[in-house]
Amino acid sequence: MAKVRIRVSLDPDEAERVRSHAERAGMDLSSYLLNAAICQMADAEGRVAQQRLEEIRSGDAQVVSVEDVAKELGL
């Protein structure tokens, strides 16, 4: 599968911190940034799912389709 190149602009100090963390994690910069993005997305999706669960438990949830929930989660 072909890869897509994405440009990211960082302040020099931030760039050095990211490179340093990637190195300590034993990852190249691309892998490290991808992993960070995936973790951020999973965290956000988890918060949405938790909020939905709380709405269901409290009885405040609207009835929605599985497709609507998946769309809201970006799946």
Side-chain angles (χ1 to χ4, degrees):
M1 178 183 218
K3 303 246 179 182
V4 174
R5 182 174 294 269
I6 298 174
R7 292 180 67 129
V8 178
S9 298
L10 303 172
D11 290 330
D13 291 341
E14 291 171 337
E16 186 51 43
R17 284 184 67 203
V18 172
R19 282 190 186 101
S20 178
H21 279 262
E23 186 176 302
R24 284 193 302 250
M27 302 169 86
D28 62 49
L29 188 56
S30 291
S31 297
Y32 186 80
L33 291 173
L34 176 59
N35 184 62
I38 289 170
C39 288
Q40 180 67 35
M41 291 184 293
D43 183 56
E45 291 164 358
R47 283 192 306 271
V48 169
Q50 183 64 37
Q51 183 178 28
R52 281 270 185 232
L53 182 59
E54 289 170 9
E55 290 171 359
I56 290 167
R57 287 182 175 156
S58 71
D60 291 337
Q62 294 179 347
V63 176
V64 295
S65 70
V66 172
E67 290 83 9
D68 288 341
V69 173
K71 212 180 289 183
E72 185 176 340
L73 293 174
L75 304 174

